[in-house]
mmCIF file of all heavy atoms in Angstrom:
data_model
loop_
_atom_site.group_PDB
_atom_site.id
_atom_site.type_symbol
_atom_site.label_atom_id
_atom_site.label_comp_id
_atom_site.label_asym_id
_atom_site.label_seq_id
_atom_site.Cartn_x
_atom_site.Cartn_y
_atom_site.Cartn_z
ATOM 1 N N VAL A 231 -2.315 34.886 0.433
ATOM 2 C CA VAL A 231 -2.747 34.282 1.654
ATOM 3 C C VAL A 231 -4.230 34.296 1.919
ATOM 4 O O VAL A 231 -4.900 33.327 2.335
ATOM 5 C CB VAL A 231 -1.967 34.863 2.882
ATOM 6 C CG1 VAL A 231 -2.332 34.260 4.175
ATOM 7 C CG2 VAL A 231 -0.423 34.769 2.644
ATOM 8 N N ASP A 233 -6.542 34.399 -0.220
ATOM 9 C CA ASP A 233 -7.182 33.477 -1.171
ATOM 10 C C ASP A 233 -7.279 32.065 -0.429
ATOM 11 O O ASP A 233 -8.293 31.401 -0.563
ATOM 12 C CB ASP A 233 -6.354 33.247 -2.424
ATOM 13 C CG ASP A 233 -6.619 34.393 -3.435
ATOM 14 O OD1 ASP A 233 -7.314 35.397 -3.027
ATOM 15 O OD2 ASP A 233 -6.191 34.298 -4.574
ATOM 16 N N LYS A 238 -9.915 27.587 2.515
ATOM 17 C CA LYS A 238 -10.035 26.751 3.661
ATOM 18 C C LYS A 238 -11.485 26.839 4.202
ATOM 19 O O LYS A 238 -12.029 25.843 4.742
ATOM 20 C CB LYS A 238 -9.045 27.111 4.729
ATOM 21 C CG LYS A 238 -7.585 26.780 4.388
ATOM 22 C CD LYS A 238 -7.285 25.398 4.053
ATOM 23 C CE LYS A 238 -7.384 24.422 5.205
ATOM 24 N NZ LYS A 238 -6.111 24.333 5.997
ATOM 25 N N ARG A 239 -12.054 27.969 4.135
ATOM 26 C CA ARG A 239 -13.513 28.094 4.537
ATOM 27 C C ARG A 239 -14.431 27.355 3.587
ATOM 28 O O ARG A 239 -15.330 26.656 4.012
ATOM 29 C CB ARG A 239 -13.901 29.591 4.520
ATOM 30 C CG ARG A 239 -15.406 29.840 4.872
ATOM 31 C CD ARG A 239 -15.733 29.340 6.176
ATOM 32 N NE ARG A 239 -17.160 29.640 6.544
ATOM 33 C CZ ARG A 239 -18.184 28.771 6.195
ATOM 34 N NH1 ARG A 239 -17.850 27.663 5.525
ATOM 35 N NH2 ARG A 239 -19.401 29.071 6.542
ATOM 36 N N GLU A 289 16.649 15.904 -0.209
ATOM 37 C CA GLU A 289 17.872 15.676 0.514
ATOM 38 C C GLU A 289 17.744 14.401 1.452
ATOM 39 O O GLU A 289 18.603 13.530 1.481
ATOM 40 C CB GLU A 289 18.128 16.900 1.335
ATOM 41 C CG GLU A 289 19.363 16.813 2.282
ATOM 42 C CD GLU A 289 20.663 16.710 1.542
ATOM 43 O OE1 GLU A 289 20.839 17.300 0.568
ATOM 44 O OE2 GLU A 289 21.506 15.822 1.953
ATOM 45 N N GLY A 365 15.933 25.926 10.098
ATOM 46 C CA GLY A 365 15.846 27.362 10.377
ATOM 47 C C GLY A 365 16.444 27.755 11.724
ATOM 48 O O GLY A 365 16.179 28.869 12.206
ATOM 49 N N THR A 367 19.365 28.725 12.316
ATOM 50 C CA THR A 367 20.241 29.868 12.149
ATOM 51 C C THR A 367 19.516 31.036 11.425
ATOM 52 O O THR A 367 20.119 32.035 11.117
ATOM 53 C CB THR A 367 21.493 29.484 11.287
ATOM 54 O OG1 THR A 367 21.082 28.733 10.175
ATOM 55 C CG2 THR A 367 22.480 28.682 12.107
ATOM 56 N N GLN B 159 -5.870 29.545 10.720
ATOM 57 C CA GLN B 159 -5.923 29.845 9.301
ATOM 58 C C GLN B 159 -7.017 30.817 8.970
ATOM 59 O O GLN B 159 -7.685 30.780 7.905
ATOM 60 C CB GLN B 159 -5.987 28.554 8.494
ATOM 61 C CG GLN B 159 -4.887 27.571 8.854
ATOM 62 C CD GLN B 159 -4.454 26.662 7.753
ATOM 63 O OE1 GLN B 159 -5.313 26.136 7.096
ATOM 64 N NE2 GLN B 159 -3.189 26.385 7.632
ATOM 65 N N ASP B 190 -14.992 34.507 10.311
ATOM 66 C CA ASP B 190 -15.427 33.579 9.272
ATOM 67 C C ASP B 190 -15.425 34.355 7.934
ATOM 68 O O ASP B 190 -16.214 35.319 7.774
ATOM 69 C CB ASP B 190 -16.829 33.067 9.582
ATOM 70 C CG ASP B 190 -17.298 31.996 8.608
ATOM 71 O OD1 ASP B 190 -16.771 32.026 7.457
ATOM 72 O OD2 ASP B 190 -18.134 31.191 8.946
ATOM 73 N N PHE B 228 -8.469 45.747 5.617
ATOM 74 C CA PHE B 228 -7.547 44.598 5.625
ATOM 75 C C PHE B 228 -7.851 43.635 4.592
ATOM 76 O O PHE B 228 -6.972 43.139 3.878
ATOM 77 C CB PHE B 228 -7.771 43.993 7.048
ATOM 78 C CG PHE B 228 -6.812 42.811 7.378
ATOM 79 C CD1 PHE B 228 -5.597 43.158 8.044
ATOM 80 C CD2 PHE B 228 -7.007 41.555 6.942
ATOM 81 C CE1 PHE B 228 -4.744 42.123 8.410
ATOM 82 C CE2 PHE B 228 -6.084 40.573 7.273
ATOM 83 C CZ PHE B 228 -4.962 40.830 7.960
ATOM 84 N N ALA B 233 -4.111 42.540 3.141
ATOM 85 C CA ALA B 233 -3.135 42.781 4.213
ATOM 86 C C ALA B 233 -2.691 41.485 4.873
ATOM 87 O O ALA B 233 -3.499 40.502 4.833
ATOM 88 C CB ALA B 233 -3.678 43.742 5.201
ATOM 89 N N ASP B 259 0.462 41.525 1.614
ATOM 90 C CA ASP B 259 0.887 40.269 0.891
ATOM 91 C C ASP B 259 1.600 40.510 -0.401
ATOM 92 O O ASP B 259 0.967 40.920 -1.385
ATOM 93 C CB ASP B 259 -0.364 39.389 0.759
ATOM 94 C CG ASP B 259 -0.002 38.004 0.288
ATOM 95 O OD1 ASP B 259 1.162 37.739 -0.082
ATOM 96 O OD2 ASP B 259 -0.963 37.160 0.209
ATOM 97 N N ARG B 265 -2.864 42.491 -7.950
ATOM 98 C CA ARG B 265 -4.233 42.968 -7.974
ATOM 99 C C ARG B 265 -4.340 44.220 -6.984
ATOM 100 O O ARG B 265 -5.462 44.571 -6.664
ATOM 101 C CB ARG B 265 -5.247 41.907 -7.652
ATOM 102 C CG ARG B 265 -5.075 41.275 -6.256
ATOM 103 C CD ARG B 265 -6.014 40.096 -6.038
ATOM 104 N NE ARG B 265 -5.871 39.526 -4.702
ATOM 105 C CZ ARG B 265 -6.159 38.260 -4.424
ATOM 106 N NH1 ARG B 265 -6.615 37.448 -5.306
ATOM 107 N NH2 ARG B 265 -6.010 37.877 -3.227
ATOM 108 N N ASP B 314 22.114 25.585 8.694
ATOM 109 C CA ASP B 314 22.046 24.869 9.960
ATOM 110 C C ASP B 314 23.234 23.894 10.126
ATOM 111 O O ASP B 314 23.833 23.776 11.223
ATOM 112 C CB ASP B 314 20.765 24.121 10.171
ATOM 113 C CG ASP B 314 19.559 25.033 10.304
ATOM 114 O OD1 ASP B 314 19.798 26.259 10.514
ATOM 115 O OD2 ASP B 314 18.401 24.528 10.136
ATOM 116 N N ARG B 388 28.409 21.292 -4.300
ATOM 117 C CA ARG B 388 27.699 20.000 -4.144
ATOM 118 C C ARG B 388 26.542 20.085 -5.176
ATOM 119 O O ARG B 388 25.671 20.942 -5.079
ATOM 120 C CB ARG B 388 27.200 19.835 -2.787
ATOM 121 C CG ARG B 388 26.572 18.465 -2.504
ATOM 122 C CD ARG B 388 25.066 18.512 -2.693
ATOM 123 N NE ARG B 388 24.472 17.245 -2.404
ATOM 124 C CZ ARG B 388 23.392 17.087 -1.556
ATOM 125 N NH1 ARG B 388 22.781 18.143 -1.032
ATOM 126 N NH2 ARG B 388 22.848 15.912 -1.318
#
Side-chain angles (χ1 to χ4, degrees):
Chain A
V231 180
D233 281 8
K238 293 303 289 278
R239 175 63 180 83
E289 176 64 42
T367 47
Chain B
Q159 307 203 322
D190 183 333
F228 187 96
D259 187 352
R265 62 188 180 204
D314 294 347
R388 184 264 183 134

